[in-house]
Amino acid sequence: MRPRAAIASALAIEPEVLLMDEPFGDLDAQNCRIVQKEVRRIWKEIGRTILFVTHSIEEAVAGGTTLVMVSARPSRVHQPIRNDGRVERGKPIDDPNTMIMEEVLRQQGEAPLG
């Protein structure tokens, strides 16, 4: 499986930070879950920082402990969202969805939600 080989290759040099840009994008749903679980296991084992870049909120929530959404141009970082089990289960998905809608409205020149 190519994603597993790519991850193994990247980890072989023992980086302090591993950047994974859309690492599960080419996988079907079943293999995506398998590889996500494997990456999470490896992360717990090696204790290094892994930075995921993804367009999938569900993927980010499944694999990340801190979620950061970057807005469209001009790029801005929104407040990080903790995803470490201390917040209710749906909140890490609901907050980014709300941020996305606010960003869309901002780009369209409309007032933000709430």
Side-chain angles (χ1 to χ4, degrees), residues 28-65:
D28 60 61
Q30 181 179 356
N31 284 317
C32 180
R33 285 187 197 97
I34 292 167
V35 176
Q36 283 175 336
K37 189 174 181 179
E38 184 68 6
V39 167
R40 192 147 181 96
R41 182 193 65 75
I42 291 168
W43 169 73
K44 287 178 181 178
E45 188 177 299
I46 65 172
R48 306 234 193 240
T49 298
I50 301 176
L51 176 63
F52 287 94
V53 176
T54 182
H55 290 88
S56 168
I57 293 172
E58 290 78 12
E59 188 175 289
V61 170
T65 57

Side-chain angles (χ1 to χ4, degrees), residues 3 12 15 19 22-25 35 39 47 50 53 60 68-69 71-72 74 77 79-80 85 87 98 101 113:
L19 174 62
E22 300 282 357
F24 313 119
V35 176
V39 167
I50 301 176
V53 176
V68 179
M69 189 179 108
S71 70
V77 173
Q79 179 179 351
V87 295
T98 300
M101 289 310 302
L113 302 171

